[in-house]
Amino acid sequence: MKGKTRSWWGWGNTEDAVCGSEREELTRRPAALLPKADLTIHEAPPIEAFGVGASRIKAPDSLAAIVSADVRDRLAHSHGQAFRDVVRALLGALPHVPDLVVRPASEAQVVHVLDWCHDANIAVIPFGGGSSVVGGVEPRVGERYSGVVSLDLTSMDQVLEVDPTSRAALVQAGVLGPHLEEQLRPQGYTLRFFPQSFEFSSLGGWLATRAGGHFATRLTHIDDLAESLRVVTPAGVVESRRLPGSGAGPSPDRMFLGSEGSLGVITQAWVRLQDRPRWRAGASVSFAQYDAGVQAVRALSQSGLDPANCRLLDPMEALINAGSATAVLVLGFESADHPVDAWMERALELCRDHGGTLSEPPRHTDSSARIVRTAAADTWRSSFVRMPYQRDALAAQSMIVETFETACTWDRFDALRAAVHDAAQDAMRQVGAEGVVTCRFTHVYPDGPAPYFGIYAAGRWGRTVEQWDEIKQAVSQALITAGATITHHHAVGRDHRPWYDQQRPDLFAAALQAGKKVLDPAGILNPGAVIDPLQTPGRA
């Protein structure tokens, strides 16, 4: 990331944007799949075109050194990285812009910022790495606040302590994925947590959103890796005790994991580390029938083998992202302690029991410096890393390219998949967007999968946000009606609130509100994300 420029409107670095032959090849895919698509390329407008006004608020002199009112900085902190965020930026329509961006370099400065904002009735939006895809970092807070601050902790990015005996580390919350791994690598450790947003998301963001990593089974969520949290709230500091486990009442960590900065700002955490893997094995298994692949993955998830990768792509997903005409299972094992040949062989036996075939034998290595991939897996992995950049490029060509991720029990999957497919196709017809629906498993558990549904549709430039919103509403309601979750790992934010409110029990919602009243009595922390602030006398 050194020497590169972060895009203010889209994903990642400007130097890594899709261009040249990659763009030509990318354009050929929707042209072949959806021949009526208008694939004219639209460029982002200049920053001056947004007409961003002056800040409505002024920070105390004691905070001046960590405050930015730069328009580019404010625009970059005005949105996340969802499809609708990217398209609105391309259209020059970002109506909610923070007044200031504040980058504290210490916990004491975080306390100072929250004290100031509490007293001045200023909303505080914790930004993390800005990779939210659910409106979680957008300063869409209403009119009751005198201003809005985007709180960016990326200056707090150090591993403060490593406990090799317990194999854990105390880490500041603002560290981005690559820098965290750089600091752990010399001692032979890894957090082993690699979401697709890894390069541009922070530890604090992962914790605050209950993020899911790349690995498909066992320790899939950041929850599993959190040993202790330290959280600054307007009412004071909360720090949980470091323990491997405890039965002492409800866990304080569980209150803040997934709270998305609405209850407090996570400043540091003790996290459980892993030894860096030495042995790896990888294979790609094809299934002529998708349902057979589903049954194979269920058998794998209930076998106790715990593969590191167990991603089943349906035929359409495999065709678009891996060039295969059949369902493909990308399967992998790794270990720091022992060779994994026997685990892979047993997994392949299970796959063959369900009609799985291999076009090439599995690959095994004994080297921590190499990643094992088969040809199909290598194609898919490369596509996985480039997906966000390619999504932006297609969004600029009027394509609607976005996802729904969820989880359900195995007994409900067939009905869920049918419901999502029907709801998406019907919504696409209603909005006049011809397209396809794909499905892949990102994570699997003994009692159910985490399906990741993709939408690839030809939209109309200037209307793709509205078209997507209609599709999203239809599919989101289908998820809840079918008994699935509105999100497995993308969080709630503001965009998922209507369906999260249906999913969570009413009494639990009331308990959350009571907790917010104690921790954030003025209701300044990320208003509208996860839970609404109570009306405070004199602040309505």
Side-chain angles (χ1 to χ4, degrees), residues 170-198:
L170 177 62
V171 185
Q172 291 182 308
V175 66
L176 300 184
H179 188 42
L180 172 58
E181 290 296 319
E182 286 173 5
Q183 295 179 78
L184 296 175
R185 186 174 293 109
Q187 300 180 67
Y189 295 128
T190 175
L191 186 61
R192 196 182 179 268
F193 190 79
F194 303 104
Q196 191 174 39
S197 62
F198 170 74

PDB file of all heavy atoms in Angstrom, residues 170-198:
ATOM      1  N   LEU A 170      -1.971  -7.808  22.274  1.00  0.00           N
ATOM      2  CA  LEU A 170      -2.735  -6.586  22.542  1.00  0.00           C
ATOM      3  C   LEU A 170      -2.501  -5.647  21.369  1.00  0.00           C
ATOM      4  O   LEU A 170      -1.371  -5.258  21.078  1.00  0.00           O
ATOM      5  CB  LEU A 170      -2.264  -5.938  23.845  1.00  0.00           C
ATOM      6  CG  LEU A 170      -2.928  -4.608  24.213  1.00  0.00           C
ATOM      7  CD1 LEU A 170      -4.434  -4.784  24.413  1.00  0.00           C
ATOM      8  CD2 LEU A 170      -2.285  -4.026  25.476  1.00  0.00           C
ATOM      9  N   VAL A 171      -3.572  -5.274  20.683  1.00  0.00           N
ATOM     10  CA  VAL A 171      -3.457  -4.550  19.423  1.00  0.00           C
ATOM     11  C   VAL A 171      -4.378  -3.334  19.437  1.00  0.00           C
ATOM     12  O   VAL A 171      -5.527  -3.416  19.873  1.00  0.00           O
ATOM     13  CB  VAL A 171      -3.839  -5.459  18.226  1.00  0.00           C
ATOM     14  CG1 VAL A 171      -3.590  -4.737  16.912  1.00  0.00           C
ATOM     15  CG2 VAL A 171      -3.068  -6.779  18.278  1.00  0.00           C
ATOM     16  N   GLN A 172      -3.875  -2.210  18.938  1.00  0.00           N
ATOM     17  CA  GLN A 172      -4.715  -1.031  18.794  1.00  0.00           C
ATOM     18  C   GLN A 172      -5.732  -1.234  17.680  1.00  0.00           C
ATOM     19  O   GLN A 172      -5.451  -1.869  16.654  1.00  0.00           O
ATOM     20  CB  GLN A 172      -3.859   0.199  18.504  1.00  0.00           C
ATOM     21  CG  GLN A 172      -3.002   0.638  19.693  1.00  0.00           C
ATOM     22  CD  GLN A 172      -2.211   1.903  19.381  1.00  0.00           C
ATOM     23  OE1 GLN A 172      -1.513   1.965  18.369  1.00  0.00           O
ATOM     24  NE2 GLN A 172      -2.324   2.894  20.253  1.00  0.00           N
ATOM     25  N   ALA A 173      -6.905  -0.665  17.850  1.00  0.00           N
ATOM     26  CA  ALA A 173      -8.038  -0.995  16.987  1.00  0.00           C
ATOM     27  C   ALA A 173      -7.944  -0.423  15.590  1.00  0.00           C
ATOM     28  O   ALA A 173      -8.628  -0.903  14.679  1.00  0.00           O
ATOM     29  CB  ALA A 173      -9.338  -0.517  17.649  1.00  0.00           C
ATOM     30  N   GLY A 174      -7.127   0.589  15.366  1.00  0.00           N
ATOM     31  CA  GLY A 174      -7.087   1.222  14.055  1.00  0.00           C
ATOM     32  C   GLY A 174      -6.204   0.539  13.037  1.00  0.00           C
ATOM     33  O   GLY A 174      -6.164   0.968  11.876  1.00  0.00           O
ATOM     34  N   VAL A 175      -5.509  -0.516  13.416  1.00  0.00           N
ATOM     35  CA  VAL A 175      -4.578  -1.158  12.495  1.00  0.00           C
ATOM     36  C   VAL A 175      -5.329  -1.846  11.355  1.00  0.00           C
ATOM     37  O   VAL A 175      -6.325  -2.535  11.573  1.00  0.00           O
ATOM     38  CB  VAL A 175      -3.668  -2.157  13.237  1.00  0.00           C
ATOM     39  CG1 VAL A 175      -4.454  -3.333  13.787  1.00  0.00           C
ATOM     40  CG2 VAL A 175      -2.526  -2.621  12.346  1.00  0.00           C
ATOM     41  N   LEU A 176      -4.848  -1.627  10.132  1.00  0.00           N
ATOM     42  CA  LEU A 176      -5.413  -2.321   8.977  1.00  0.00           C
ATOM     43  C   LEU A 176      -4.787  -3.713   8.849  1.00  0.00           C
ATOM     44  O   LEU A 176      -3.689  -3.960   9.363  1.00  0.00           O
ATOM     45  CB  LEU A 176      -5.186  -1.513   7.703  1.00  0.00           C
ATOM     46  CG  LEU A 176      -5.797  -0.110   7.653  1.00  0.00           C
ATOM     47  CD1 LEU A 176      -5.562   0.535   6.278  1.00  0.00           C
ATOM     48  CD2 LEU A 176      -7.279  -0.117   7.983  1.00  0.00           C
ATOM     49  N   GLY A 177      -5.478  -4.592   8.143  1.00  0.00           N
ATOM     50  CA  GLY A 177      -5.054  -5.986   8.061  1.00  0.00           C
ATOM     51  C   GLY A 177      -3.602  -6.210   7.697  1.00  0.00           C
ATOM     52  O   GLY A 177      -2.872  -6.920   8.414  1.00  0.00           O
ATOM     53  N   PRO A 178      -3.108  -5.630   6.577  1.00  0.00           N
ATOM     54  CA  PRO A 178      -1.722  -5.903   6.189  1.00  0.00           C
ATOM     55  C   PRO A 178      -0.702  -5.467   7.233  1.00  0.00           C
ATOM     56  O   PRO A 178       0.286  -6.178   7.466  1.00  0.00           O
ATOM     57  CB  PRO A 178      -1.562  -5.095   4.892  1.00  0.00           C
ATOM     58  CG  PRO A 178      -2.949  -4.990   4.342  1.00  0.00           C
ATOM     59  CD  PRO A 178      -3.832  -4.867   5.549  1.00  0.00           C
ATOM     60  N   HIS A 179      -0.932  -4.307   7.852  1.00  0.00           N
ATOM     61  CA  HIS A 179       0.042  -3.810   8.835  1.00  0.00           C
ATOM     62  C   HIS A 179       0.020  -4.671  10.093  1.00  0.00           C
ATOM     63  O   HIS A 179       1.062  -4.882  10.730  1.00  0.00           O
ATOM     64  CB  HIS A 179      -0.254  -2.353   9.173  1.00  0.00           C
ATOM     65  CG  HIS A 179       0.796  -1.691  10.018  1.00  0.00           C
ATOM     66  ND1 HIS A 179       2.152  -1.878   9.810  1.00  0.00           N
ATOM     67  CD2 HIS A 179       0.690  -0.852  11.083  1.00  0.00           C
ATOM     68  CE1 HIS A 179       2.837  -1.182  10.703  1.00  0.00           C
ATOM     69  NE2 HIS A 179       1.972  -0.562  11.492  1.00  0.00           N
ATOM     70  N   LEU A 180      -1.144  -5.196  10.456  1.00  0.00           N
ATOM     71  CA  LEU A 180      -1.221  -6.108  11.591  1.00  0.00           C
ATOM     72  C   LEU A 180      -0.394  -7.354  11.319  1.00  0.00           C
ATOM     73  O   LEU A 180       0.414  -7.777  12.159  1.00  0.00           O
ATOM     74  CB  LEU A 180      -2.681  -6.483  11.857  1.00  0.00           C
ATOM     75  CG  LEU A 180      -2.919  -7.578  12.896  1.00  0.00           C
ATOM     76  CD1 LEU A 180      -2.328  -7.196  14.244  1.00  0.00           C
ATOM     77  CD2 LEU A 180      -4.409  -7.878  13.018  1.00  0.00           C
ATOM     78  N   GLU A 181      -0.550  -7.944  10.146  1.00  0.00           N
ATOM     79  CA  GLU A 181       0.206  -9.153   9.821  1.00  0.00           C
ATOM     80  C   GLU A 181       1.697  -8.879   9.724  1.00  0.00           C
ATOM     81  O   GLU A 181       2.516  -9.720  10.099  1.00  0.00           O
ATOM     82  CB  GLU A 181      -0.326  -9.765   8.520  1.00  0.00           C
ATOM     83  CG  GLU A 181      -1.711 -10.381   8.652  1.00  0.00           C
ATOM     84  CD  GLU A 181      -1.735 -11.565   9.606  1.00  0.00           C
ATOM     85  OE1 GLU A 181      -0.793 -12.376   9.578  1.00  0.00           O
ATOM     86  OE2 GLU A 181      -2.701 -11.680  10.385  1.00  0.00           O
ATOM     87  N   GLU A 182       2.077  -7.706   9.219  1.00  0.00           N
ATOM     88  CA  GLU A 182       3.494  -7.336   9.157  1.00  0.00           C
ATOM     89  C   GLU A 182       4.123  -7.332  10.545  1.00  0.00           C
ATOM     90  O   GLU A 182       5.277  -7.744  10.723  1.00  0.00           O
ATOM     91  CB  GLU A 182       3.643  -5.940   8.543  1.00  0.00           C
ATOM     92  CG  GLU A 182       3.418  -5.869   7.046  1.00  0.00           C
ATOM     93  CD  GLU A 182       3.416  -4.436   6.547  1.00  0.00           C
ATOM     94  OE1 GLU A 182       3.692  -3.519   7.357  1.00  0.00           O
ATOM     95  OE2 GLU A 182       3.123  -4.223   5.354  1.00  0.00           O
ATOM     96  N   GLN A 183       3.383  -6.864  11.543  1.00  0.00           N
ATOM     97  CA  GLN A 183       3.917  -6.785  12.902  1.00  0.00           C
ATOM     98  C   GLN A 183       3.948  -8.149  13.595  1.00  0.00           C
ATOM     99  O   GLN A 183       4.785  -8.378  14.479  1.00  0.00           O
ATOM    100  CB  GLN A 183       3.075  -5.798  13.725  1.00  0.00           C
ATOM    101  CG  GLN A 183       3.170  -4.361  13.219  1.00  0.00           C
ATOM    102  CD  GLN A 183       2.299  -3.421  14.034  1.00  0.00           C
ATOM    103  OE1 GLN A 183       2.654  -3.012  15.141  1.00  0.00           O
ATOM    104  NE2 GLN A 183       1.135  -3.071  13.490  1.00  0.00           N
ATOM    105  N   LEU A 184       3.063  -9.052  13.202  1.00  0.00           N
ATOM    106  CA  LEU A 184       3.025 -10.377  13.826  1.00  0.00           C
ATOM    107  C   LEU A 184       3.984 -11.366  13.172  1.00  0.00           C
ATOM    108  O   LEU A 184       4.469 -12.296  13.824  1.00  0.00           O
ATOM    109  CB  LEU A 184       1.599 -10.942  13.753  1.00  0.00           C
ATOM    110  CG  LEU A 184       0.518 -10.186  14.527  1.00  0.00           C
ATOM    111  CD1 LEU A 184      -0.848 -10.815  14.253  1.00  0.00           C
ATOM    112  CD2 LEU A 184       0.816 -10.173  16.025  1.00  0.00           C
ATOM    113  N   ARG A 185       4.286 -11.154  11.890  1.00  0.00           N
ATOM    114  CA  ARG A 185       5.054 -12.131  11.110  1.00  0.00           C
ATOM    115  C   ARG A 185       6.439 -12.424  11.702  1.00  0.00           C
ATOM    116  O   ARG A 185       6.848 -13.599  11.734  1.00  0.00           O
ATOM    117  CB  ARG A 185       5.179 -11.661   9.661  1.00  0.00           C
ATOM    118  CG  ARG A 185       5.854 -12.694   8.741  1.00  0.00           C
ATOM    119  CD  ARG A 185       5.826 -12.250   7.297  1.00  0.00           C
ATOM    120  NE  ARG A 185       4.459 -12.233   6.764  1.00  0.00           N
ATOM    121  CZ  ARG A 185       3.785 -11.133   6.486  1.00  0.00           C
ATOM    122  NH1 ARG A 185       4.345  -9.944   6.665  1.00  0.00           N
ATOM    123  NH2 ARG A 185       2.563 -11.199   6.010  1.00  0.00           N
ATOM    124  N   PRO A 186       7.211 -11.429  12.155  1.00  0.00           N
ATOM    125  CA  PRO A 186       8.568 -11.743  12.642  1.00  0.00           C
ATOM    126  C   PRO A 186       8.586 -12.733  13.799  1.00  0.00           C
ATOM    127  O   PRO A 186       9.585 -13.429  14.003  1.00  0.00           O
ATOM    128  CB  PRO A 186       9.109 -10.366  13.072  1.00  0.00           C
ATOM    129  CG  PRO A 186       8.360  -9.386  12.225  1.00  0.00           C
ATOM    130  CD  PRO A 186       6.978  -9.971  12.111  1.00  0.00           C
ATOM    131  N   GLN A 187       7.503 -12.816  14.556  1.00  0.00           N
ATOM    132  CA  GLN A 187       7.454 -13.744  15.678  1.00  0.00           C
ATOM    133  C   GLN A 187       6.771 -15.062  15.311  1.00  0.00           C
ATOM    134  O   GLN A 187       6.545 -15.911  16.180  1.00  0.00           O
ATOM    135  CB  GLN A 187       6.737 -13.079  16.858  1.00  0.00           C
ATOM    136  CG  GLN A 187       7.459 -11.805  17.333  1.00  0.00           C
ATOM    137  CD  GLN A 187       6.748 -11.141  18.492  1.00  0.00           C
ATOM    138  OE1 GLN A 187       6.695 -11.705  19.580  1.00  0.00           O
ATOM    139  NE2 GLN A 187       6.215  -9.951  18.265  1.00  0.00           N
ATOM    140  N   GLY A 188       6.450 -15.212  14.031  1.00  0.00           N
ATOM    141  CA  GLY A 188       5.879 -16.465  13.566  1.00  0.00           C
ATOM    142  C   GLY A 188       4.386 -16.605  13.780  1.00  0.00           C
ATOM    143  O   GLY A 188       3.848 -17.713  13.670  1.00  0.00           O
ATOM    144  N   TYR A 189       3.704 -15.483  14.070  1.00  0.00           N
ATOM    145  CA  TYR A 189       2.287 -15.545  14.359  1.00  0.00           C
ATOM    146  C   TYR A 189       1.455 -14.915  13.242  1.00  0.00           C
ATOM    147  O   TYR A 189       1.955 -14.157  12.403  1.00  0.00           O
ATOM    148  CB  TYR A 189       1.967 -14.808  15.670  1.00  0.00           C
ATOM    149  CG  TYR A 189       2.569 -15.439  16.895  1.00  0.00           C
ATOM    150  CD1 TYR A 189       3.328 -14.684  17.788  1.00  0.00           C
ATOM    151  CD2 TYR A 189       2.371 -16.789  17.177  1.00  0.00           C
ATOM    152  CE1 TYR A 189       3.886 -15.262  18.918  1.00  0.00           C
ATOM    153  CE2 TYR A 189       2.920 -17.369  18.307  1.00  0.00           C
ATOM    154  CZ  TYR A 189       3.675 -16.598  19.175  1.00  0.00           C
ATOM    155  OH  TYR A 189       4.219 -17.177  20.293  1.00  0.00           O
ATOM    156  N   THR A 190       0.177 -15.233  13.271  1.00  0.00           N
ATOM    157  CA  THR A 190      -0.806 -14.605  12.402  1.00  0.00           C
ATOM    158  C   THR A 190      -2.127 -14.549  13.149  1.00  0.00           C
ATOM    159  O   THR A 190      -2.395 -15.393  14.011  1.00  0.00           O
ATOM    160  CB  THR A 190      -0.989 -15.392  11.092  1.00  0.00           C
ATOM    161  OG1 THR A 190      -2.049 -14.804  10.318  1.00  0.00           O
ATOM    162  CG2 THR A 190      -1.335 -16.849  11.350  1.00  0.00           C
ATOM    163  N   LEU A 191      -2.952 -13.542  12.844  1.00  0.00           N
ATOM    164  CA  LEU A 191      -4.309 -13.548  13.385  1.00  0.00           C
ATOM    165  C   LEU A 191      -5.165 -14.555  12.619  1.00  0.00           C
ATOM    166  O   LEU A 191      -6.179 -15.022  13.120  1.00  0.00           O
ATOM    167  CB  LEU A 191      -4.940 -12.152  13.299  1.00  0.00           C
ATOM    168  CG  LEU A 191      -6.301 -11.986  13.948  1.00  0.00           C
ATOM    169  CD1 LEU A 191      -6.244 -12.284  15.438  1.00  0.00           C
ATOM    170  CD2 LEU A 191      -6.873 -10.597  13.707  1.00  0.00           C
ATOM    171  N   ARG A 192      -4.733 -14.870  11.381  1.00  0.00           N
ATOM    172  CA  ARG A 192      -5.449 -15.812  10.510  1.00  0.00           C
ATOM    173  C   ARG A 192      -6.875 -15.329  10.279  1.00  0.00           C
ATOM    174  O   ARG A 192      -7.834 -16.077  10.358  1.00  0.00           O
ATOM    175  CB  ARG A 192      -5.452 -17.215  11.101  1.00  0.00           C
ATOM    176  CG  ARG A 192      -5.818 -18.333  10.106  1.00  0.00           C
ATOM    177  CD  ARG A 192      -5.849 -19.682  10.790  1.00  0.00           C
ATOM    178  NE  ARG A 192      -6.215 -20.783   9.915  1.00  0.00           N
ATOM    179  CZ  ARG A 192      -7.458 -21.213   9.749  1.00  0.00           C
ATOM    180  NH1 ARG A 192      -8.438 -20.624  10.390  1.00  0.00           N
ATOM    181  NH2 ARG A 192      -7.724 -22.231   8.942  1.00  0.00           N
ATOM    182  N   PHE A 193      -7.000 -14.059   9.955  1.00  0.00           N
ATOM    183  CA  PHE A 193      -8.312 -13.476   9.706  1.00  0.00           C
ATOM    184  C   PHE A 193      -8.211 -12.628   8.449  1.00  0.00           C
ATOM    185  O   PHE A 193      -7.609 -11.552   8.459  1.00  0.00           O
ATOM    186  CB  PHE A 193      -8.757 -12.623  10.904  1.00  0.00           C
ATOM    187  CG  PHE A 193     -10.195 -12.203  10.810  1.00  0.00           C
ATOM    188  CD1 PHE A 193     -11.207 -13.085  11.132  1.00  0.00           C
ATOM    189  CD2 PHE A 193     -10.534 -10.923  10.398  1.00  0.00           C
ATOM    190  CE1 PHE A 193     -12.541 -12.706  11.034  1.00  0.00           C
ATOM    191  CE2 PHE A 193     -11.857 -10.536  10.299  1.00  0.00           C
ATOM    192  CZ  PHE A 193     -12.867 -11.429  10.621  1.00  0.00           C
ATOM    193  N   PHE A 194      -8.775 -13.123   7.371  1.00  0.00           N
ATOM    194  CA  PHE A 194      -8.587 -12.477   6.075  1.00  0.00           C
ATOM    195  C   PHE A 194      -9.917 -12.274   5.351  1.00  0.00           C
ATOM    196  O   PHE A 194     -10.254 -13.028   4.439  1.00  0.00           O
ATOM    197  CB  PHE A 194      -7.642 -13.308   5.207  1.00  0.00           C
ATOM    198  CG  PHE A 194      -6.298 -13.552   5.833  1.00  0.00           C
ATOM    199  CD1 PHE A 194      -5.989 -14.782   6.388  1.00  0.00           C
ATOM    200  CD2 PHE A 194      -5.341 -12.546   5.873  1.00  0.00           C
ATOM    201  CE1 PHE A 194      -4.745 -15.019   6.973  1.00  0.00           C
ATOM    202  CE2 PHE A 194      -4.098 -12.773   6.452  1.00  0.00           C
ATOM    203  CZ  PHE A 194      -3.804 -14.004   7.003  1.00  0.00           C
ATOM    204  N   PRO A 195     -10.700 -11.266   5.742  1.00  0.00           N
ATOM    205  CA  PRO A 195     -11.903 -10.960   4.971  1.00  0.00           C
ATOM    206  C   PRO A 195     -11.518 -10.406   3.598  1.00  0.00           C
ATOM    207  O   PRO A 195     -10.360 -10.013   3.376  1.00  0.00           O
ATOM    208  CB  PRO A 195     -12.603  -9.898   5.825  1.00  0.00           C
ATOM    209  CG  PRO A 195     -11.489  -9.241   6.584  1.00  0.00           C
ATOM    210  CD  PRO A 195     -10.488 -10.332   6.857  1.00  0.00           C
ATOM    211  N   GLN A 196     -12.471 -10.352   2.693  1.00  0.00           N
ATOM    212  CA  GLN A 196     -12.180  -9.816   1.368  1.00  0.00           C
ATOM    213  C   GLN A 196     -11.701  -8.369   1.453  1.00  0.00           C
ATOM    214  O   GLN A 196     -10.917  -7.915   0.632  1.00  0.00           O
ATOM    215  CB  GLN A 196     -13.414  -9.906   0.474  1.00  0.00           C
ATOM    216  CG  GLN A 196     -13.142  -9.611  -0.991  1.00  0.00           C
ATOM    217  CD  GLN A 196     -14.368  -9.868  -1.854  1.00  0.00           C
ATOM    218  OE1 GLN A 196     -15.501  -9.572  -1.468  1.00  0.00           O
ATOM    219  NE2 GLN A 196     -14.157 -10.436  -3.024  1.00  0.00           N
ATOM    220  N   SER A 197     -12.140  -7.664   2.488  1.00  0.00           N
ATOM    221  CA  SER A 197     -11.747  -6.259   2.690  1.00  0.00           C
ATOM    222  C   SER A 197     -10.429  -6.126   3.432  1.00  0.00           C
ATOM    223  O   SER A 197     -10.048  -5.010   3.820  1.00  0.00           O
ATOM    224  CB  SER A 197     -12.838  -5.545   3.491  1.00  0.00           C
ATOM    225  OG  SER A 197     -12.986  -6.152   4.779  1.00  0.00           O
ATOM    226  N   PHE A 198      -9.708  -7.235   3.651  1.00  0.00           N
ATOM    227  CA  PHE A 198      -8.524  -7.298   4.514  1.00  0.00           C
ATOM    228  C   PHE A 198      -7.581  -6.110   4.345  1.00  0.00           C
ATOM    229  O   PHE A 198      -7.135  -5.519   5.325  1.00  0.00           O
ATOM    230  CB  PHE A 198      -7.786  -8.605   4.218  1.00  0.00           C
ATOM    231  CG  PHE A 198      -6.431  -8.725   4.849  1.00  0.00           C
ATOM    232  CD1 PHE A 198      -6.290  -8.966   6.201  1.00  0.00           C
ATOM    233  CD2 PHE A 198      -5.270  -8.617   4.077  1.00  0.00           C
ATOM    234  CE1 PHE A 198      -5.034  -9.096   6.785  1.00  0.00           C
ATOM    235  CE2 PHE A 198      -4.017  -8.744   4.644  1.00  0.00           C
ATOM    236  CZ  PHE A 198      -3.900  -8.979   6.004  1.00  0.00           C
TER     237      PHE A 198
END
